[in-house]
Amino acid sequence: MSLKSKFIHFLKMLFPSTFLELGIFVFYLVAYGVFGTFLAQHYKIVFDGRIPWDAYFSFDNKAIVMTGGSFERHPLSYYFFNWIREFIFFFTNGKMGMEFRLFLVWMSNLIVSLSIVQVYKYLKNIIGTPVFINLILVLFFSLFSTCILLSFTPETYTYTLLLLTAFNYYSAVKLKKNGKISGLSLVLGSVFVGGLTVTNIVKVFIPILFEKDLFSSWKKFGIAAARVSVSCLVFILLYLNRINFKYENILSKSGEQYEKFSNVNSTPIWDMIYSYFFGGNILFPGFFIREKHNMQGFYYKALFMEVYTSVIPYIFIGLLMILIFWSYFKNFKNKWVQILMLSFAVDVLIHCVFRFGLHTSYIYGGHFVFVFPLLLGWLFYSVKNSPKTLAFLTGTMIVMTVYLGFTNLYRMTEFFEFVNRYY
């Protein structure tokens, strides 16, 4: 395949390639764009030079946009966001007012809308579920609190959502054709995915474990190991270059970050796992306000999520988890399902077992929430020959989607009240 053909194939994989996919993309671009545009035009919460972090839900908008975030967690995002910032400055003449916020919002909107298209492509082309089911699952996914928030939030998680959904779709296509994930794809995946959030680099290598006949000979295993090694070497060299090869800073800073984000005991661990890690990324809980300051005398209000206070959200998230694990055990021998669950297990290990950022794990949804609609798609696939079960699942998903939509849209009105009052 020529370089031109590969580039065209890449564009078809990343962007809408059918009228229905284009319709989905435009629909969400408009739906998210209406709120985001109004927010950027009239309020400063998306980006305010006086607010370094945590204006809403612990998103570090200013820190990310201006510096790319901390090097130990986001090793190469400094360059990525420098490019974004300079690109926007080209149109705003270096100003960071309303037009600057508008560009940030629409770039986030574009990325999340493309992520939804990637989920649809996976459902249609990898799983092969009917269009009606795909549209229900896509709508369900688009109403997740993560998707709604990231659609107007300039953060690493926003871009990670697209990178991970796109790489999962790409690797699934390769495995479906019994092909190999190319060395160049692994290098690019490592640099971009790992560069934005270092722990996500592991997810780039998981699909390799399921390549056909990988363990049938030492030669095939050795070639795969070489591809991984080259990818890691490129990433490590770029990482070290970013910090002027002062590698001792990585350990010291990482230790500080772990202590800072892992020793919060104000809420029971089980409730943080349930309400924040599993729940807050999907179904908004209630909100509360804290007063913050920028260490230079400027005080501002910050909005945070609290744990669920009603039994219904606990039931909703519990039911969703039952469906997810039903899908996993129903499709246990399915390599695509194993890839999704292993990828999800990385986040469970980091946040739930090691408790890193568990008290604010509702902001990490861009790393894993796309797994849920895909696993639900595999569940529908596994019961396609059982009409009663299929009807039950379809009805359940419709009810859950309606409840999710009403609840999250209501919570967003509360968010808007907060913004209208303070920003």
Side-chain angles (χ1 to χ4, degrees):
M1 187 182 291
S2 67
L3 187 61
K4 180 181 178 181
S5 298
K6 287 183 178 180
F7 181 68
I8 293 173
H9 181 63
F10 167 75
L11 293 179
K12 287 183 176 179
M13 288 188 67
L14 182 61
F15 294 99
S17 57
T18 67
F19 283 113
L20 184 54
E21 290 172 8
L22 181 61
I24 291 171
F25 175 67
V26 172
F27 174 80
Y28 287 109
L29 206 61
V30 173
Y32 291 140
V34 169
F35 180 78
T37 299
F38 188 78
L39 200 64
Q41 287 179 328
H42 298 91
Y43 305 100
K44 294 184 177 181
I45 195 166
V46 171
F47 185 91
D48 188 326
R50 299 169 300 174
I51 301 174
W53 53 75
D54 290 358
Y56 59 99
F57 308 132
S58 291
F59 288 118
D60 298 338
N61 296 19
K62 183 196 172 186
I64 292 296
V65 172
M66 300 306 291
T67 69
S70 55
F71 69 81
E72 70 279 1
R73 284 189 290 162
H74 313 296
L76 303 177
S77 60
Y78 169 79
Y79 305 106
F80 183 76
F81 282 95
N82 269 2
W83 297 334
I84 290 176
R85 194 170 62 254
E86 292 304 316
F87 170 75
I88 300 175
F89 280 164
F90 179 77
F91 296 96
T92 64
N93 296 318
K95 298 179 180 178
M96 292 185 285
M98 183 271 287
E99 293 84 3
F100 186 75
R101 296 194 301 270
L102 202 58
F103 264 95
L104 290 174
V105 163
W106 271 90
M107 291 181 75
S108 297
N109 179 14
L110 174 68
I111 295 301
V112 173
S113 298
L114 282 176
S115 301
I116 292 173
V117 171
Q118 290 297 306
V119 169
Y120 178 82
K121 283 175 178 283
Y122 190 109
L123 292 169
K124 181 186 72 170
N125 299 327
I126 304 301
I127 304 177
T129 40
V131 173
F132 178 66
I133 300 299
N134 294 343
L135 292 177
I136 292 175
L137 294 176
V138 161
L139 178 61
F140 183 64
F141 174 60
S142 69
L143 292 169
F144 282 10
S145 54
T146 290
C147 292
I148 295 173
L149 291 178
L150 294 185
S151 70
F152 61 84
T153 300
E155 253 281 10
T156 55
Y157 312 109
T158 309
Y159 295 89
T160 297
L161 178 63
L162 176 60
L163 291 171
L164 287 175
T165 51
F167 192 84
N168 266 275
Y169 175 58
Y170 161 78
S171 59
V173 169
K174 284 291 186 179
L175 293 177
K176 192 169 186 178
K177 296 178 179 178
N178 292 322
K180 293 179 180 179
I181 300 166
S182 70
L184 178 60
S185 298
L186 288 177
V187 170
L188 293 175
S190 302
V191 170
F192 284 99
V193 175
L196 285 184
T197 304
V198 65
T199 51
N200 282 329
I201 194 173
V202 178
K203 301 174 185 178
V204 175
F205 303 131
I206 289 174
I208 298 175
L209 297 172
F210 298 88
E211 289 181 350
K212 187 178 181 181
D213 300 326
L214 176 66
F215 300 101
S216 62
S217 69
W218 283 106
K219 181 180 178 181
K220 290 183 177 180
F221 182 79
I223 293 174
R227 282 182 285 149
V228 173
S229 299
V230 169
S231 301
C232 289
L233 180 62
V234 171
F235 174 77
I236 291 170
L237 289 175
L238 290 173
Y239 192 170
L240 290 174
N241 181 67
R242 163 74 177 89
I243 58 173
N244 297 318
F245 289 85
K246 296 178 180 179
Y247 59 86
E248 64 275 4
N249 290 347
I250 299 175
L251 295 176
S252 62
K253 284 290 185 179
S254 297
E256 291 175 12
Q257 290 289 317
Y258 184 79
E259 287 296 320
K260 178 180 178 181
F261 288 99
S262 302
N263 295 318
V264 178
N265 299 310
S266 58
T267 304
I269 292 174
W270 73 267
D271 210 358
M272 285 194 285
I273 292 173
Y274 205 105
S275 296
Y276 294 156
F277 180 78
F278 289 109
N281 288 295
I282 300 169
L283 180 70
F284 278 122
F287 307 145
F288 67 93
I289 297 173
R290 282 180 181 163
E291 188 164 280
K292 295 270 185 176
H293 60 88
N294 67 349
M295 313 298 286
Q296 296 177 354
F298 175 70
Y299 288 81
Y300 60 95
K301 301 293 183 180
L303 194 68
F304 293 89
M305 294 188 197
E306 60 184 2
V307 296
Y308 294 124
T309 55
S310 169
V311 69
I312 298 178
Y314 285 102
I315 294 173
F316 178 91
I317 297 301
L319 177 58
L320 179 59
M321 290 304 107
I322 288 171
L323 295 177
I324 293 302
F325 284 101
W326 181 13
S327 174
Y328 177 62
F329 291 114
K330 187 82 173 176
N331 299 279
F332 189 78
K333 295 182 180 180
N334 185 315
K335 57 187 174 184
W336 291 282
V337 170
Q338 289 293 347
I339 289 170
L340 293 173
M341 284 302 283
L342 284 172
S343 178
F344 183 43
V346 172
D347 296 288
V348 172
L349 184 67
I350 292 169
H351 300 297
C352 300
V353 178
F354 293 133
R355 295 194 296 166
F356 183 86
L358 182 56
H359 63 298
T360 54
S361 57
Y362 47 74
I363 70 173
Y364 293 98
H367 296 172
F368 60 84
V369 289
F370 62 90
V371 168
F372 298 142
L374 300 184
L375 286 175
L376 289 172
W378 282 115
L379 180 59
F380 274 99
Y381 173 82
S382 67
V383 300
K384 62 182 179 180
N385 295 322
S386 177
K388 290 184 179 180
T389 307
L390 191 60
F392 167 76
L393 272 180
T394 304
T396 300
M397 285 310 307
I398 291 174
V399 171
M400 292 179 71
T401 301
V402 170
Y403 174 76
L404 178 68
F406 274 111
T407 302
N408 281 355
L409 292 178
Y410 172 75
R411 292 300 185 192
M412 285 307 293
T413 63
E414 294 182 337
F415 174 78
F416 179 77
E417 289 174 3
F418 165 79
V419 173
N420 194 45
R421 186 172 182 180
Y422 298 109
Y423 291 92

